[in-house]
Amino acid sequence: MDADPYAGFPPGFFDRSDDGPDAGFYDRPRLVTHIDEGAIAAVGELYAELGIDGAAPRPTRVLDLMSSWVSHFRTPPAELVVLGMNDEELAANPAATQRLVHDLNADPHVPLPDGDADAAVCCVSIDYLTRPVEVLADVGRVLRPGGRLAVTFSDRCFPTKAVRGWLATDDRQHGAVVAELVRRSGRFTEPTVTLRTPPGTGDPLYAVVATRLP
């Protein structure tokens, strides 16, 4: 990772209009979904295609970053570590086998050992990270070589908590931004960006996918 992992981004790109502690914003549970049924189905289909859900030929251990009460797997993996901000939401996630309450903006270190997981996912939450390169680099540490990373996003967010650069760019630019953040972590193969839902119908669901380097 470069000495300045954000060189070239406009000043203030990763600032937010509400820069107060995230613990206060997420102190009450929000047991709702933030994308529609079509986008949710697209998330599950992606995880199945990547071979990281419970239908995979061998048991998998998956880290779900910035998670909530639902993780959108068609079939949950054998082990699912959910990391999020609200303990009640994480406790309500029926697929979880391990729950970690942790603020990645306050501390981008993922509290898991090296090479602990086969895959990592982040669903419609990457836009809230103020130090995303550091987080992605540490996710790479936690993944085993060859582990898959899947970052999905749509066009919905909490605007006061999304970084300013995300709000100032469109969906196509979002894919380019996320791919560049993955590159700058220095941990992954060249990321791919795809639209996973039919154009013009319901919430769009985009995916950025990469593989942990050896």
Side-chain angles (χ1 to χ4, degrees):
M1 190 167 60
D2 294 337
D4 179 4
Y6 304 104
F9 281 99
F13 192 98
F14 295 97
D15 293 344
R16 302 173 297 175
S17 62
D18 176 4
D19 204 28
D22 288 336
F25 184 82
Y26 295 105
D27 64 351
R28 62 181 179 85
R30 295 176 173 86
L31 302 180
V32 298
T33 53
H34 300 285
I35 46 178
D36 65 19
E37 291 183 1
I40 289 171
V43 175
E45 180 180 6
L46 172 67
Y47 296 166
E49 286 182 12
L50 294 176
I52 62 174
D53 68 0
R58 64 179 182 83
T60 56
R61 178 171 168 84
V62 180
L63 168 62
D64 184 3
L65 292 163
M66 306 172 76
S67 188
S68 180
W69 67 285
V70 61
S71 294
H72 304 319
F73 286 86
R74 285 182 180 176
T75 306
E79 297 181 58
L80 181 64
V81 183
V82 294
L83 182 153
M85 290 289 296
N86 186 278
D87 56 353
E88 291 183 57
E89 289 184 9
L90 300 183
N93 190 322
T97 59
Q98 183 178 350
R99 297 167 175 85
L100 302 171
V101 177
H102 183 75
D103 183 350
L104 289 169
N105 284 335
D107 178 5
H109 175 77
V110 177
L112 290 171
D114 295 359
D116 186 62
D118 300 296
V121 300
C122 181
C123 183
V124 297
S125 296
I126 192 73
D127 44 313
Y128 303 123
L129 288 176
T130 58
R131 291 189 282 173
V133 176
E134 291 92 329
V135 171
L136 290 167
D138 208 54
V139 169
R141 175 191 62 79
V142 168
L143 285 177
R144 296 164 187 150
R148 307 306 297 275
L149 170 70
V151 178
T152 52
F153 61 88
S154 187
D155 58 358
R156 298 192 190 188
C157 66
F158 296 122
T160 60
K161 281 298 182 182
V163 298
R164 294 184 188 277
W166 190 270
L167 300 177
T169 47
D170 61 24
D171 288 339
R172 181 172 296 182
Q173 293 168 314
H174 292 159
V177 168
V178 176
E180 181 62 17
L181 296 173
V182 172
R183 289 187 198 101
R184 293 189 183 205
S185 76
R187 295 280 196 173
F188 297 94
T189 59
E190 177 63 19
T192 62
V193 184
T194 56
L195 174 61
R196 303 288 305 185
T197 47
T201 59
D203 293 340
L205 195 284
Y206 293 83
V208 177
V209 175
T211 301
R212 167 69 157 86
L213 290 167

